[in-house]
Amino acid sequence: MTMVGVLHQMPAQAGRSAEWRGEASPQAFSDETPAPCQGQRDAGRDLLRQALAKENMESAWKRVKANKGVAGVDGMDIAQTKRHLVNAWPNIRDQLMAGTYRPSPVRRVGIPKPDGSERELGIPTVTDRLIQQALLQVLQPLIDPTFSEHSHGFRPGRRARDAILAAQQYVQDGAHVVVDVDLSKFFDRVNHDILINRLARRVNDSGVIRLVRAYLSAGIMYNGVLVNREEGTPQGGPLSPLLANVLLDEVDRELEKRGHHFVRYADDCNVYVRSSRAGARVMALLKRLYTKLHLQINESKSAVASAFGRKFLGYELWLKGGTKVMRAVSRKALGTFQHKIRQITRRSGGKSIAMVIVKLRQYVLGWKEYFKLTQTPQVWRRLDEWMRRRMRSTYLKQWRRPTTIYRAVIALGASPKQARIAASFSGRWWHGSRVGLNSVLTISYFDRLGMPRLT
């Protein structure tokens, strides 16, 4: 039996199916997902039936499969889970409807950050990712329309670029001081009781609330040891971003009530004001609001400062001609980019040029797409020149010996004089990459290889 056959066992009551591009649909569902009934003792059964219905589950499975995530603590990948659910799903569904289902612990994974620290992710099993995705597809259209317009992270039809453009406009309008707030280990410190309380205000649905609490309470498996969890919602599950927005919307509404100009993307919030004095008042307000939610502000990363040169979602703002506010890639993001390019093109990696080009395309084109809002084309040109120089240096390193360099450069169409100059830089790879090979390994040469360009 196929996965579609397994899901066919469910009643076809779901809201409309949709192709997903991330954890949130590009467009919120509307007319086919009714609001939860008020006043019923167990209205959650209706919402759960919608989440577990055939069309919704098929859509959720497509999304989980497209994400190609790794296995959770049960060791089963996408294909293995598909086979497992052929027989296991009817019992799992009965448990979900009865409120007795217990999610598996999440598998802790550390993702290295450029500064040497790690970002902790909690990877649910594929089965739990499927259930969470199905639940998300029903909850998102009910809850998302209630969020603040100033919230941009992990929402249908909204992207980081929307937050960046809104921030630029506030500064252009004269709010040159930013209250930049970073929450300390936000996803690790979410208070379960407070979150469930805020969720229950929006979803009068006992079955769903019970299931969400079960996911919050699922432990973390780390090096074979199960650690129970009384707070936090680990990054890695489809529901985590929605739940984060449920909790933080309370702060958004208070800022709106006071008429502040702000943008929020997940746990990053920037409030734009006209003076440092006003900024200090807003910072004090935010500390009170976050304390009420049992959250902590990271003092080392938060500040009341000039909006120019302050990093936000990888961008920073600068002033052109004293009047025009412009967008640029932040210095930190540029440093991260160059660090990654050095790793890909390092001369001792033993990789072929073709493999290096493939990896460059994978990284550079995605980076270019994210930072396409930048308004500093000269930076792009310098980075392109630097990447080509890295590649020329890689060639010299691979050829290594003067005689090999000479023959290789001749084969590329160089004159004997050009070949002798290139060969003289054996052992001086970086210097030779600028002086010895420019006339042979040209821009058009790298274009023919498929090397990506930012300009």
Side-chain angles (χ1 to χ4, degrees):
M1 182 183 293
T2 65
M3 186 63 188
V4 172
V6 175
L7 300 178
H8 186 69
Q9 301 174 40
M10 309 171 198
Q13 286 181 284
R16 73 183 62 171
S17 299
E19 284 298 319
W20 299 72
R21 295 295 181 266
E23 290 187 327
S25 166
Q27 296 181 346
F29 299 165
S30 54
D31 53 329
E32 296 185 34
T33 305
C37 301
Q38 301 294 322
Q40 294 186 18
R41 186 169 174 226
D42 197 12
R45 289 185 178 273
D46 292 335
L47 197 53
L48 275 179
R49 285 193 182 97
Q50 291 179 50
L52 300 177
K54 174 178 175 287
E55 292 180 11
N56 193 60
M57 290 300 298
E58 287 178 349
S59 176
W61 178 256
K62 288 178 182 178
R63 184 62 210 148
V64 171
K65 184 178 179 181
N67 279 340
K68 301 178 182 178
V70 297
V73 296
D74 60 0
M76 291 193 293
D77 59 20
I78 300 289
Q80 292 169 321
T81 300
K82 180 179 178 179
R83 293 192 293 269
H84 168 72
L85 290 178
V86 170
N87 296 317
W89 179 252
N91 184 50
I92 293 173
R93 185 183 184 281
D94 288 345
Q95 292 177 21
L96 287 165
M97 293 302 301
T100 59
Y101 179 76
R102 293 295 174 264
S104 299
V106 299
R107 181 165 67 89
R108 180 189 177 278
V109 176
I111 306 298
K113 297 170 67 174
D115 61 5
S117 62
E118 284 189 342
R119 174 179 288 107
E120 293 186 7
L121 296 181
I123 308 300
T125 63
V126 177
T127 297
D128 282 324
R129 296 206 295 273
L130 173 64
I131 296 168
Q132 285 194 38
Q133 182 66 34
L135 192 57
L136 175 70
Q137 292 172 184
V138 172
L139 291 179
Q140 188 98 49
L142 296 177
I143 298 176
D144 188 83
T146 69
F147 291 150
S148 166
E149 289 298 307
H150 299 274
S151 169
H152 300 274
F154 307 108
R155 297 186 60 191
R158 291 169 177 264
R159 295 172 291 174
R161 63 171 290 150
D162 301 317
I164 295 159
L165 291 173
Q168 181 185 21
Q169 188 60 55
Y170 290 141
V171 179
Q172 184 66 65
D173 291 342
H176 291 178
V177 174
V178 62
V179 184
D180 183 357
V181 172
D182 180 89
L183 294 178
S184 178
K185 297 183 178 180
F186 167 71
F187 284 94
D188 296 333
R189 289 179 172 161
V190 170
N191 183 281
H192 292 176
D193 291 336
I194 294 176
L195 174 55
I196 289 296
N197 174 269
R198 301 313 189 261
L199 181 64
R201 294 178 184 178
R202 301 169 187 268
V203 180
N204 182 21
D205 191 314
S206 61
V208 168
I209 297 299
R210 184 167 53 236
L211 181 56
V212 171
R213 184 177 278 279
Y215 274 114
L216 291 175
S217 302
I220 299 175
M221 189 69 72
Y222 181 55
N223 290 335
V225 177
L226 177 61
V227 179
N228 292 324
R229 188 174 68 219
E230 297 181 356
E231 63 178 10
T233 170
Q235 298 181 70
L239 274 176
S240 292
L242 177 67
L243 296 178
N245 280 330
V246 167
L247 186 64
L248 294 175
D249 188 65
E250 183 170 314
V251 177
D252 296 344
R253 294 305 182 182
E254 187 61 32
L255 290 172
E256 282 184 343
K257 179 180 172 183
R258 295 168 182 255
H260 289 300
H261 300 304
F262 70 98
V263 288
R264 182 174 65 80
Y265 193 93
D267 57 327
D268 289 330
C269 182
N270 277 11
V271 185
Y272 295 89
V273 296
R274 293 178 179 270
S275 69
S276 297
R277 193 171 181 179
R281 290 196 298 269
V282 172
M283 179 65 82
L285 168 66
L286 288 172
K287 287 181 179 179
R288 292 196 301 271
L289 294 174
Y290 287 129
T291 298
K292 182 180 177 182
L293 297 177
H294 293 198
L295 299 172
Q296 296 180 13
I297 289 178
N298 187 329
E299 299 287 351
S300 64
K301 294 184 178 180
S302 303
V304 177
S306 170
F308 299 109
R310 189 76 184 177
K311 178 176 70 70
F312 180 54
L313 300 179
Y315 282 83
E316 61 184 41
L317 301 176
W318 60 286
L319 200 58
K320 179 180 180 181
T323 57
K324 183 68 173 176
V325 177
M326 309 289 281
R327 302 177 298 269
V329 181
S330 72
R331 283 160 288 186
K332 183 176 180 180
L334 286 173
T336 300
F337 175 83
Q338 291 183 292
H339 175 73
K340 181 65 175 180
I341 297 302
R342 288 189 184 99
Q343 287 184 320
I344 294 173
T345 61
R346 66 177 184 267
R347 297 180 293 275
S348 58
K351 300 183 293 292
S352 68
I353 294 297
M355 186 182 300
V356 171
I357 294 292
V358 168
K359 290 185 177 296
L360 280 176
R361 288 188 65 84
Q362 291 173 346
Y363 178 72
V364 173
L365 294 181
W367 194 86
K368 177 182 179 180
E369 175 64 22
Y370 181 82
F371 286 106
K372 65 183 180 182
L373 288 181
T374 187
Q375 295 171 301
T376 53
Q378 68 277 12
V379 174
W380 269 197
R381 288 192 291 271
R382 288 200 298 269
L383 287 176
D384 277 339
E385 292 169 1
W386 176 76
M387 284 193 291
R388 287 191 291 269
R389 188 175 177 188
R390 289 285 307 179
M391 289 299 297
R392 294 183 187 110
S393 178
T394 299
Y395 273 98
L396 281 175
K397 177 70 172 181
Q398 289 187 356
W399 294 332
R400 190 172 294 275
R401 299 176 183 277
T403 53
T404 305
I405 295 173
Y406 182 88
R407 289 195 298 267
V409 174
I410 287 289
L412 288 171
S415 67
K417 179 179 179 181
Q418 290 172 322
R420 285 193 297 271
I421 292 174
S424 69
F425 289 102
S426 174
R428 295 182 292 161
W429 321 120
W430 184 242
H431 188 56
S433 65
R434 184 179 63 181
V435 179
L437 293 180
N438 278 11
S439 60
V440 179
L441 300 181
T442 61
I443 296 175
S444 60
Y445 174 84
F446 286 118
D447 285 345
R448 290 194 296 273
L449 289 182
M451 183 174 170
R453 277 208 256 172
L454 294 173
T455 54

